Amino acid sequence: MRLQLTADRAMTYAQAGQGQPLVWLHGFPLCHEMWQPQISGLSTHYRVLAPDLTGFGGTSGFPGTPSMSQMADDVAAFLTALKITEPVILGGLSMGGYVALAFARQHPTRLKALILADTRAEPDSAEGKANRDKMIAVAKDKGGEAVIEQMLPKLLGPVAAKERPDLAASMRRMAVGQSREGIANAVQAMRDRPDSAPGLAHIKLPTLVLVGSDDQITPLAASQSMAQAIPGAKLVTIPQAGHMSNQEQPDAFNTAVREFLQGLK
Ligand code: MLT
């Protein structure tokens, strides 16, 4: 589906179900389609929304320096354009989690609860930033296919890497569908993202932290420290899953989300 944010900027998204809005923000270099298991599995009880983040899918890029802050503002503009004024449950995986943390800082009153999956609060290390610079060059020169080929060995856990070739194929398809500029801008925004760790203690929302037991990109330790720092946060480890825990073990992921949401007032 497609929605005008302003006269010259649009956002594409998927939506299913009715009731309490549950919004999912995708990882890099993917799009809303990565949330298919949650769109089908959770829309029985929730209004599930999965937008394409700034510069991904059919969502317009943004003139100027890209940032997580601006991507979060686009999510707020998306809710406004849909006339959603009630607080939403916001979930993000990896890059989507960085955007969700920025959203929680910038628009806390629009949130009812937060789900942080396979993500981290800390900024990139110096080595990580240098790798981002190389990735920006790869994205600009060769596009999404080259980027996803570099990432794939770390995206899936050993079980999915062996048993779910369809997941690698669908991630390739999503990455190939993204523009070089959108990918490069997102890498720059991730490289320059601020440290979200000091703000964790101030998050006053029910928070669920999810992580695949075999996540190599944002490992268990990053989720443990994030969950410890957010008052009252609950940590659930998804067994036999890597970085793409929502797709690798959709039943366990959806069960953890459902149990968390059932506990909300
Ligand atoms: C993602 O899955 O969104 C990315 O791996 C995040 C990152 O590179 O930091």
Side-chain angles (χ1 to χ4, degrees), residues 27-28 94-95 98 132 151 190 217 243:
F28 171 88
S94 201
M95 177 180 76
Y98 308 154
R132 298 285 194 201
M151 294 179 69
M190 290 195 285
I217 296 181
H243 190 57

Side-chain angles (χ1 to χ4, degrees), residues 98 120 122-126 128-129 132 187 190-193:
Y98 308 154
R120 64 165 83 237
E122 296 80 21
D124 282 357
S125 63
K129 284 183 198 285
R132 298 285 194 201
V187 180
M190 290 195 285
R191 179 194 67 193
D192 299 339
R193 74 186 189 280

Side-chain angles (χ1 to χ4, degrees), residues 173-202:
R173 191 174 38 75
M174 283 185 247
V176 168
Q178 308 312 320
S179 74
R180 294 180 182 204
E181 193 190 8
I183 293 178
N185 282 346
V187 180
Q188 187 184 325
M190 290 195 285
R191 179 194 67 193
D192 299 339
R193 74 186 189 280
D195 187 358
S196 293
L200 296 178
H202 305 294

